[in-house]
Amino acid sequence: MAADLRIPTARAFVRSLNILLKFSRLYGFDHPRTADQFKTAIADLRMAIATCGGTGLLLAAAGNELLLDGKPMGSTPAERGFGLLLASAGISSLLFTPLVTDDDVAKLARSFPSGTAKPAEVAAQLKKALADVTTIRMNEIRFVPENADGAEMRNAAQLIADSLGGSSDEMKSWLTDPQKLLQLIAAAQGNRSGAGPAAGMAGPGGGTGGARTNAAEQERSGVGAGSSDGTLSQFTNFAATGAGDAEISEADVLSVLKALTQMTRDLKGDAGDSAKEEARREISSLPPNAQDVLRDAIASFAAQTKGTRPSRAMLAELAEHLAIRFALERYSRGEVKVNAIRQLLEKMNREIASLRDMIGEREAKMAQAGIQIESRSELMDRRFWSQVPEAGKQSVLLSGEAWCIPGRNVRAYANELNARQDHELVGQVLGRYSACIHSPDAEARRRAAAGIAELADLYAGDPPLMVAAIRQVGMQLCSEGDPESQVLIDKAFTTLSHEAASRRCYPAIVQVLTSLEGMENQRPALSQTLLQSSGIRERMPDFLDEALRCERMPEGLADVLRLMPQPAIAQFATKFRRAGQRVMSDRLAEVARSLGAESCNRLKDTLRAGKPEEAVEVAGLLSRLDPAAVGKIICERLPEWPLAAQDRLLRVIAAAGAPELGALIAGAFTSFDPMLRSLAIEEIGMSGDLGLASQLFLIAEADGRSTLEDYMRLKAIEAIGRLRAPAGRELLQGFASDKRAWRRGWHDEIRIAAYQALEKIDPKWSKSEGPQLGFESWQLIQPALDPIPDAAWYRQRRYQRIRLDRPATAVATSDDAEIKLVIKNLSLGGGVGTSDRRLLPGTKVVLKIGTPLRSIRMDALMRDVRNLSFGFEILSIGLEDRSRLRKLLAQQSRSKAQLVPELVAAS
């Protein structure tokens, strides 16, 4: 799957990087848009590197094309533009290794050309910027790796001739055909025994002496006139009989490797008979055991590669095959300990290096191009362990030397065990492997760390195993003194953390956070860096979503949230503010309560000391967790807050739906701005807390007769009705029926509110006395609505909103603006419409509905601005204006025929 995704993921990164460079030039690197694009580019780079395997991401320029590992990525403007950008800067390729960090990419982006500098200056600038960066490699030599299929194999002979300096067809075959090499060895052995070349071809005994010259072996070899494979068949069959009685030493193998190197050097300078004669003499000079070793290795190698195409690197492959085979035999005999195998292979690899340098042009060119490839020592080591028998692998993997086996081989073995359902043994192997991170040997720790990072997904398949691995790596990270080892252990810890976060393995994430917490005292900077790169903080919204989605919180998730209280509680507050719905709010409050006192204390600190806009956003959630603290803090802070912040606080607390809502608002009532107290009274009435009725009685009985005091009295009367307070019956009857001499004692709006409240408290009185009160039917529209106990939302409408048949025009005047409004929906509490300009939510305005001569005036607060739409809520309105508003609603209502028939007739 990764191969199929290489081009798309690389193309996505190129486009993101292209946009990042443009943003950096336009806005600067510290601009928010550039910062957001930088995060996108980093994410795309990680994905591209992951799909390209362990070698990293190589981007090369060829003309105006951009190539990924030599393959064109496409011809869209993004790829062409970036390819031209590289070319103009004189850069052939950029390699992003798997160890690349965010800071390294930032250095590259900050120093990239603006498009006006000369190529030489740009290249020098990039070199200087990347001088201390080893994870991004820049190459100024133009090279694109060529595909080995097709044309390369068709031209193999010519390539070998060019690389070795020869031109004849005979010379081209020496280094690509095991058959030719066997003939050369046979000729050399024949010369050493005093016979001609033909004698060497007669059988395997020519010149070898000892136990290898008996007739039985000749008969088993099958050599004769009917043999079709000739020398290759002879040596292949001979190899199957065994290596004889002579002991093969390390010196014998090393002498063979040196001989192969010298043979290549001889053939490189001359393609004729003299070169072949030099090669024969080189072989003849080898000790007998060394000649047998070479011959057996060629026979075994030929048998393994039979049917494959000739390779110009055959001698190097043969040398590696010989070294691996020798190491395997010594290990099988118990002559070499497992931790010495690598040293043995590295020693032989040094002898093979010069041979590889002469015939390995492709690897040399890839190295020049900055392409990171797996070292030959690593390849030999991996090939060695792939040939170790299963019993040998198991014994090593369950020992303290498990780190010696490369991660790829451990994975292959674990996959075999999983296929056999032997999960217990897999756990033992992986557990033993991760324990090697504590080895006293620095090389062992480095290799164990690299292997753990490579096997992170296998550890993630078993949560307890993952927890143990993270604990061990974290402990070692705290005490690691070797810089090179620390880099690899950092990577292992980060990889395990990412794997745990992506799989939502919460016990493992808890261990990551616990390890970082323990690391904070010793290495605080490292702890913060690892936390940032772990990806846990970025996934906090996903974790919270899962907590809310599941009836029972997954194991370990509550601990994750408790260990990261600051980002967790910030996410909780944001989600709670946006939730609104009763079910979601209750679930959020329940989960937040499970986080303990620490989270609650952080919310209190924000409410107590944060800016008004920050404090308001946490007040809703905190009112569900600790309403008493909220009441105390807002009493202290409300007087210093602007009107918009106070209004936002009132709405947020009301939408939270705390059972103590009414008492909380009543306690802070006098701290609110006088203009907002009418809204606070409404919230007290909607809370359903009957114990607050006495405070409403005091507001209703107040002596003042100002516009604001009259409106607050009206709101208090409506709230008493919503609370169904029996003790207010006499008070309300006095408001509704009070008559002084030839006129009523109270305005009709007060009397209507009292009558409608009595309909809820004492329906019998209202039914019997209502007709004598003299109300017209149109005056009784728009009664105050009661709260619905099982409504989906905690904050509900106070009045029924009416869609007007003919939209009403209005003018809203604020301190610094005057705008025209068209009101389409209206009620006694507010309305909704459109305007030609925008006003921010929370802006206080003087609103006049209708014509200047016959307008309805009110103080209102703007709400919910979306594009050119608006909402408003009435803060204060004169009783006469409210009566005209009621009449306008009756006239404009779609249902006026049922509500006010006398107005229909009059109109």
Side-chain angles (χ1 to χ4, degrees), residues 177-196:
D177 190 353
Q179 182 76 255
K180 296 288 186 180
L181 281 178
L182 289 172
Q183 291 177 4
L184 192 65
I185 294 171
Q189 290 178 330
N191 289 340
R192 189 188 67 184
S193 62

Side-chain angles (χ1 to χ4, degrees), residues 110-308:
R110 287 177 185 273
S111 60
F112 224 89
S114 63
T116 58
K118 295 181 180 180
E121 297 174 355
V122 172
Q125 179 182 346
L126 287 175
K127 276 186 176 181
K128 182 178 179 181
L130 300 178
D132 58 342
V133 176
T134 60
T135 59
I136 302 178
R137 300 178 186 174
M138 183 190 74
N139 180 45
E140 296 179 82
I141 302 173
R142 295 189 175 277
F143 166 71
V144 178
E146 184 180 4
N147 192 340
D149 297 334
E152 184 180 86
M153 293 310 301
R154 289 194 298 270
N155 298 318
Q158 185 61 45
L159 290 171
I160 298 171
D162 293 341
S163 64
L164 298 183
S167 59
S168 71
D169 292 338
E170 184 179 4
M171 183 277 295
K172 297 171 188 175
S173 67
W174 290 112
L175 304 182
T176 63
D177 190 353
Q179 182 76 255
K180 296 288 186 180
L181 281 178
L182 289 172
Q183 291 177 4
L184 192 65
I185 294 171
Q189 290 178 330
N191 289 340
R192 189 188 67 184
S193 62
M201 294 294 295
T208 61
R212 298 177 183 257
T213 60
N214 58 74
E217 286 192 357
Q218 293 183 18
E219 182 179 355
R220 285 195 300 269
S221 67
V223 178
S227 175
S228 61
D229 288 341
T231 308
L232 180 58
S233 175
Q234 170 189 345
F235 286 123
T236 302
N237 288 331
F238 177 81
T241 66
D245 297 330
E247 182 179 351
I248 301 173
S249 66
E250 184 177 333
D252 293 335
V253 176
L254 291 176
S255 64
V256 170
L257 298 180
K258 292 177 180 178
L260 290 174
T261 303
Q262 187 59 44
M263 286 168 57
T264 304
R265 190 174 292 111
D266 292 339
L267 290 172
K268 181 178 181 181
D270 185 1
D273 292 337
S274 60
K276 289 187 284 184
E277 188 60 33
E278 287 294 331
R280 291 192 193 100
R281 281 198 293 269
E282 188 69 34
I283 295 174
S284 300
S285 65
L286 291 174
N289 279 348
Q291 293 187 30
D292 294 339
V293 167
L294 177 59
R295 186 177 61 182
D296 291 349
I298 294 175
S300 174
F301 179 75
Q304 291 183 14
T305 59
K306 187 175 181 180
T308 61

Side-chain angles (χ1 to χ4, degrees), residues 337-631:
K337 292 184 178 180
V338 63
N339 58 2
I341 288 295
R342 185 177 179 85
Q343 288 82 354
L344 175 63
L345 291 176
E346 286 180 349
K347 184 177 182 180
M348 295 188 176
N349 183 62
R350 286 193 293 270
E351 294 295 335
I352 301 171
S354 58
L355 171 62
R356 192 181 296 112
D357 290 341
M358 287 187 284
I359 59 179
E361 308 99 329
R362 184 173 184 272
E363 291 181 6
K365 289 180 180 180
M366 290 176 70
Q368 291 175 2
I371 303 175
Q372 187 179 31
I373 58 175
E374 189 175 9
S375 70
R376 302 306 301 187
S377 296
E378 295 289 344
L379 279 172
M380 291 174 63
D381 196 37
R382 182 157 52 87
R383 288 170 57 188
F384 167 81
W385 286 112
S386 67
Q387 297 180 39
V388 172
E390 182 176 348
K393 292 178 182 178
Q394 182 173 328
S395 64
V396 175
L397 286 170
L398 295 178
S399 71
E401 296 176 336
W403 57 269
C404 297
I405 299 186
R408 294 182 182 178
N409 295 80
V410 178
R411 176 184 297 278
Y413 185 59
N415 289 339
E416 293 176 8
L417 295 177
N418 282 325
R420 301 201 301 260
Q421 302 297 314
D422 196 350
H423 304 302
E424 182 178 354
L425 184 55
V426 172
Q428 294 175 5
V429 168
L430 294 177
R432 183 66 260 178
Y433 198 85
S434 62
C436 293
I437 200 73
H438 300 305
S439 173
D441 180 51
E443 175 64 17
R445 297 196 299 274
R446 287 194 286 270
R447 295 187 64 188
I452 291 171
E454 190 173 353
L455 300 170
D457 59 320
L458 292 183
Y459 283 102
D462 187 341
L465 201 61
M466 184 73 157
V467 170
I470 293 172
R471 183 189 305 113
Q472 291 167 337
V473 175
M475 290 172 59
Q476 186 59 38
L477 199 54
C478 290
S479 58
E480 183 57 56
D482 178 53
E484 186 178 352
S485 300
Q486 183 173 338
V487 171
L488 292 172
I489 298 174
D490 281 356
K491 179 183 178 183
F493 189 87
T494 302
T495 305
L496 290 172
S497 302
H498 269 287
E499 197 69 33
S502 63
R503 297 200 181 200
R504 299 184 185 180
C505 182
Y506 298 115
I509 298 175
V510 170
Q511 183 58 54
V512 170
L513 298 175
T514 303
S515 297
L516 293 176
E517 193 176 59
M519 197 184 303
E520 192 169 359
N521 295 329
Q522 303 177 25
R523 297 184 174 181
L526 178 61
S527 173
Q528 290 302 315
T529 301
L530 290 176
L531 177 59
Q532 183 177 359
S533 61
S534 67
I536 296 175
R537 191 188 299 271
E538 290 75 11
R539 293 182 180 271
M540 189 60 68
D542 298 333
F543 298 162
L544 183 53
D545 286 341
E546 185 166 358
L548 299 174
R549 203 166 44 241
C550 303
E551 292 185 7
R552 185 175 183 181
M553 195 178 299
E555 180 185 359
L557 178 52
D559 294 326
V560 171
L561 300 177
R562 276 194 290 268
L563 287 168
M564 297 191 71
Q566 187 168 352
I569 206 64
Q571 288 294 329
F572 269 112
T574 300
K575 284 186 176 292
F576 190 89
R577 185 181 72 249
R578 296 174 180 174
Q581 287 190 332
R582 182 187 298 262
V583 174
M584 183 59 70
S585 297
D586 292 347
R587 179 60 177 159
L588 276 163
E590 178 187 351
V591 176
R593 195 173 289 111
S594 69
L595 300 186
E598 177 66 20
S599 299
C600 191
N601 290 336
R602 289 183 180 271
L603 289 174
K604 292 178 189 177
D605 292 341
T606 303
L607 183 61
R608 184 180 296 110
K611 297 178 180 179
E613 57 270 21
E614 297 172 350
V616 164
E617 301 308 325
V618 303
L621 178 58
L622 187 58
S623 70
R624 295 292 298 268
L625 304 179
D626 193 345
V630 173

Side-chain angles (χ1 to χ4, degrees), residues 20 29 33-43 102-103 105-106 109:
L20 173 64
F29 203 81
R33 292 191 67 180
T34 309
D36 291 342
Q37 184 59 34
F38 178 72
K39 294 179 181 179
T40 302
I42 288 295
D102 295 2
D103 291 339
V105 179

Side-chain angles (χ1 to χ4, degrees), residues 836-869:
D836 56 351
R837 293 175 58 189
R838 298 188 60 179
L839 283 177
L840 294 177
T843 302
K844 178 182 173 294
V845 298
V846 175
L847 188 65
K848 294 181 180 180
I849 302 175
T851 62
L853 295 178
R854 298 184 61 187
S855 64
I856 303 171
R857 186 187 183 283
M858 64 192 73
D859 293 315
L861 209 60
M862 302 306 291
R863 297 271 192 236
D864 305 327
V865 176
R866 295 185 181 89
N867 297 326
L868 296 179
S869 298

